[in-house]
Amino acid sequence: KSPNRLLFKDRAAYKRFGLIPPPPQQPHGKKAPSLKPQISFRKRSSIDTGVRTIPMALIDAALDEDCTCMQENPKYPNSKSYDLYEEYKKGTTLRELLKLGARRADLSNDIARGYIVLDDPAAQQDMISQALQYEAEGKRKLSSQQYDDDDDD
């Protein structure tokens, strides 16, 4: 017997006998509604930078910049990134964050999302504007030499 086969034609008969009817069949090609509650645990950043990630060359050029990390952990609880963020949020420079366990990709994403903010607003704005220009041009990689050439302008 097929598990989706009904024992009774009338779904009300299941209630009369105290049985649980099988879920109704979905039309072909449509998904059944999810029984999981749609809850998001992600906390939103107070800063919208408008950029997805910061190129690694820009991160490398700013390693000695002072920074401030959001003290309330914005990562998903019980995840590896949550545990890492708990360790490195105590740092005061980007280089120190790396020594405390942050990965370069973490810095790139966290600066782009506003979880980490450079203490020098001009340096922060410069980094974001260069990242936006980089994304607009559709480049895949930005070498350190290209970054240095952009400074001469």
Side-chain angles (χ1 to χ4, degrees), residues 12 17 30-32 37 45 73 78 92 94 103 128 133 135 139 146:
F17 291 103
K30 292 191 176 182
K31 288 185 174 181
S45 167
N73 195 331
N78 301 324
T92 57
L94 295 179
R103 299 169 293 204
I128 291 172
Q133 179 184 5
E135 281 186 2
K139 294 180 183 176
Q146 287 173 311

Side-chain angles (χ1 to χ4, degrees), residues 61-132:
L63 283 177
D64 294 318
E65 291 284 336
D66 289 334
C67 65
T68 304
C69 295
M70 182 186 287
Q71 291 302 303
E72 184 180 350
N73 195 331
K75 310 289 183 162
Y76 288 109
N78 301 324
S79 67
K80 185 175 182 179
S81 61
Y82 183 92
D83 296 337
L84 280 173
Y85 190 86
E86 283 297 318
E87 293 299 318
Y88 70 77
K89 73 180 181 181
K90 302 168 188 109
T92 57
T93 66
L94 295 179
R95 188 177 307 277
E96 192 176 334
L97 296 179
L98 289 171
K99 286 180 184 175
L100 290 171
R103 299 169 293 204
R104 290 172 64 223
D106 294 331
L107 297 182
S108 173
N109 289 317
D110 291 352
I111 291 171
R113 287 171 177 77
Y115 305 153
I116 298 173
V117 179
L118 300 182
D119 290 345
D120 180 10
Q124 174 89 15
Q125 187 56 41
D126 184 46
M127 181 183 284
I128 291 172
S129 64
Q130 288 187 24
L132 285 170

Side-chain angles (χ1 to χ4, degrees), residues 6-41:
L6 294 174
L7 296 175
F8 304 106
K9 292 181 181 178
D10 182 13
R11 295 184 80 70
Y14 283 93
K15 287 184 179 179
R16 284 195 299 266
F17 291 103
L19 300 173
I20 300 172
Q25 295 291 326
Q26 293 294 321
H28 183 67
K30 292 191 176 182
K31 288 185 174 181
S34 174
L35 299 177
K36 290 173 119 179
Q38 300 298 318
I39 299 173
S40 174
F41 292 105

